[in-house]
Amino acid sequence: MDAALRCDVEQVGTATVVHFAGELTLGTAISVRLKLLSCLAEQPDALVVDLTLLTVVDGTALSVFTVVACQASLWPDTPLSLCAPNSATAEMLASGAYGPLRIFDSVASALTAEPDHPGPSISEVLLPVGGAARRARHLVTESCLRWDLPDLVGPANIVATELVANAITHARTMIDLSISLRRYLLVAVRDGSVAHPRLAVTSSPLEPATGRGLLLVDRIARRWGSLPVDGGKVVWAALER
């Protein structure tokens, strides 16, 4: 974390509250973004950002919350709320220059406003071995049938296979697989490699565990992407329900 910025993370039930203190500048906004993306990778039911002790030196830097809110809406579809009791900061955020942000005057009110019933989820830690992809398909099938989404069994199996296969081939670390149901069916794989996946420059998506295999994910998923986390990354895909 930047020397001009301090951060404390607190778990409140199934929500994550991030308290920032110090100065928000274009420079420290980078640290803010990385910390919030790291928190999102844990897939909390809500993410509340406490700006009470944050001094906004450069108003342009507030756009970092717009960027993170956009990412949160894609994956893991987590509501992002800002607590801004400072009237000057609240006025800047509410000006419309940063898009539609959820702004509250206290952490308590932000937490109260969050939905009480998050969608279901299943997760498991997999070894980086060949059988991991088979286990991922089993979990995805179980999830889709349990949540009455039989039409997604096939597409979700392909996506899970490719994401796990890429983690086995390129990361060679333990794999955290999670499947959750919110606006989309979300499949996410966390591994210990900081290298982000890239689509291969090819028109033939026939080879799994390579950039060509990711072309299948790109064609099947409504959206997909990756996020940096401490010690690695999360690769996620969202499928239409």
Side-chain angles (χ1 to χ4, degrees), residues 52-93:
T52 303
L53 300 178
L54 191 70
T55 300
V56 180
V57 176
D58 187 337
T60 307
L62 286 171
S63 60
V64 66
F65 300 114
T66 306
V67 172
V68 175
C70 180
Q71 174 60 66
S73 69
L74 297 176
W75 184 88
D77 197 12
T78 296
L80 174 72
S81 301
L82 303 178
C83 168
N86 181 295
S87 58
T89 301
E91 288 176 8
M92 283 189 285
L93 289 169

Side-chain angles (χ1 to χ4, degrees), residues 7 9 11 16-18 33-44 47 76 78 228-229:
C7 174
V9 179
Q11 292 300 131
T16 297
V17 181
V18 184
R33 176 179 175 272
L34 291 175
K35 173 55 69 174
L36 294 181
L37 291 182
S38 178
C39 290
L40 282 176
E42 302 300 330
Q43 302 183 61
L47 181 60
T78 296
V229 297

Side-chain angles (χ1 to χ4, degrees), residues 115-178:
D116 296 327
H117 304 290
S121 63
I122 292 177
S123 61
E124 188 168 312
V125 178
L126 306 175
L127 291 169
V129 297
R134 181 171 61 252
R135 178 58 181 167
R137 290 192 292 272
H138 173 80
L139 290 173
V140 164
T141 300
E142 178 185 348
S143 301
C144 289
L145 295 180
R146 180 183 300 180
W147 302 333
D148 196 25
L149 298 170
D151 291 344
L152 285 184
V153 170
N157 267 278
I158 294 173
V159 168
T161 297
E162 295 304 330
L163 296 188
V164 170
N166 270 281
I168 293 172
T169 301
H170 301 294
R172 300 178 183 177
T173 66
M174 298 297 286
I175 301 164
D176 293 327
L177 170 69
S178 65

Side-chain angles (χ1 to χ4, degrees), residues 201-220:
V201 183
T202 177
S203 59
S204 176
L206 299 178
E207 296 184 31
T210 69
R212 284 182 285 272
L214 286 174
L215 285 172
L216 285 170
V217 177
D218 189 59
R219 294 181 181 183
I220 293 172

